[in-house]
Amino acid sequence: MNMEQNIDLQTPINKIYKDRAIWVGSFLGGPLAAGYLIAENFNAFNETDKAKKTWIYTIIATVVIFGGIFMIPESVKIPNQIIPLIYTAIAYFLVQHFQGQNISAHINSGGQLYSWWRTITVGLIGLALTIIPIICFALLTDATSSVGADTKTFGIMKHEIAFDKNNISETEINKIADGLTKTTFFDEAVTKYVYAKKVNNNFELSISCDKSITSSAEALEPFVQLRKELQTLFPDNKIVFNLVVDNLDNVVKRLE
């Protein structure tokens, strides 16, 4: 009877997450899920101070990681799996370093583990808590950036000029459209799209083009001639062309 009592006393009461479970939960749910799983283990090991510190580091890491993701230029292509694999590997290493021995001792003593279903649920909740604020921020950013934005179409082909009405007037947009029509850029064959803005007294026009203009003088020449012809129609305003590929931020050639 005494032996059975000793075994009961040595068997851990609390459940924990195994290191592989934390790996899976972290990959599914991101830093928040990783922080929760690691903190729960610290609590089970009666290391509450470390559990509190884990949450502090988790919040900081979450802000740094996803803040950094928003700062990566769109032109930089990073495989979708790279960032999750990096923070998952870091979480797994930290678990091995700070909890590895306690996890092994817990299992060897007959301690119980949380189920995989609980781990996956934690991961999905962490994913939701991470994704929802990001979506809200993205929607708010789009709404903010669209304030003052407007578009006008011209001619039977409905050539489109996008602009910020707080930056450039509709009257000036109409004059630019008239100039693009006179120079036959706005024709009756293909619909064209232009983004116009005013910088000091200059008119900067962003025009979508093929990236071949960066290596072919022949492909670039029509834009050079178009800018020269348009400039003659605006003697009081310098005309600048930003030739872009895929998006407005990816300017591959600037003509002025």
Side-chain angles (χ1 to χ4, degrees):
M1 182 65 67
N2 290 335
M3 183 178 296
E4 292 179 356
Q5 290 177 344
N6 288 337
I7 293 175
D8 290 339
L9 290 174
Q10 293 174 1
T11 301
I13 299 175
N14 299 320
K15 292 182 179 181
I16 67 167
Y17 295 95
K18 197 175 180 180
D19 48 4
R20 289 182 62 83
I22 295 178
W23 194 99
V24 173
S26 301
F27 187 79
L28 285 176
L32 289 178
Y36 173 84
L37 298 172
I38 295 172
E40 283 293 284
N41 273 6
F42 276 132
N43 285 327
F45 299 141
N46 294 318
E47 296 178 320
T48 55
D49 287 342
K50 291 183 179 179
K52 293 177 182 178
K53 290 180 180 178
T54 296
W55 274 116
I56 294 174
Y57 296 142
T58 296
I59 294 172
I60 294 174
T62 301
V63 172
V64 170
I65 290 171
F66 291 99
I69 290 175
F70 275 108
M71 294 177 64
I72 297 175
E74 292 184 7
S75 57
V76 178
K77 304 299 181 182
I78 299 178
N80 295 335
Q81 298 86 357
I82 291 297
I83 294 176
L85 285 174
I86 290 174
Y87 62 63
T88 299
I90 293 173
Y92 186 77
F93 168 79
L94 293 175
V95 170
Q96 289 289 326
H97 183 74
F98 291 104
Q99 297 183 348
Q101 291 183 352
N102 286 338
I103 292 174
S104 297
H106 179 95
I107 295 173
N108 293 334
S109 300
Q112 293 184 318
L113 302 173
Y114 283 115
S115 68
W116 279 103
W117 286 113
R118 182 182 174 96
T119 300
I120 293 173
T121 300
V122 170
L124 294 177
I125 292 174
L127 177 63
L129 292 176
T130 302
I131 292 297
I132 291 174
I134 291 176
I135 293 176
C136 292
F137 177 79
L139 292 175
L140 180 62
T141 302
D142 288 344
T144 301
S145 62
S146 64
V147 173
D150 203 354
T151 58
K152 288 200 68 175
T153 57
F154 302 88
I156 61 175
M157 295 302 298
K158 296 189 179 300
H159 301 292
E160 186 174 294
I161 299 182
F163 61 100
D164 183 346
K165 56 189 175 185
N166 294 321
N167 167 260
I168 186 170
S169 69
E170 189 171 336
T171 300
E172 290 170 317
I173 292 298
N174 291 336
K175 289 181 180 179
I176 291 173
D178 184 57
L180 291 173
T181 301
K182 289 179 179 178
T183 56
T184 70
F185 181 70
F186 279 0
D187 54 22
E188 297 183 3
V190 180
T191 301
K192 307 291 179 32
Y193 300 90
V194 176
Y195 177 78
K197 67 178 180 179
K198 193 172 184 179
V199 180
N200 296 323
N201 202 39
N202 302 339
F203 290 145
E204 293 198 8
L205 307 182
S206 296
I207 303 174
S208 180
C209 64
D210 188 88
K211 62 181 179 181
S212 62
I213 65 164
T214 59
S215 57
S216 172
E218 292 181 357
L220 180 63
E221 184 60 26
F223 293 101
V224 173
Q225 291 300 321
L226 174 63
R227 196 207 69 81
K228 289 181 179 178
E229 292 175 12
L230 193 60
Q231 183 65 77
T232 61
L233 301 176
F234 291 87
D236 298 326
N237 305 96
K238 183 179 180 180
I239 301 297
V240 178
F241 278 6
N242 291 318
L243 304 183
V244 302
V245 175
D246 296 331
N247 61 77
L248 292 176
D249 295 326
N250 187 23
V251 179
V252 297
K253 195 73 175 179
R254 183 177 171 89
L255 302 176
E256 56 183 311

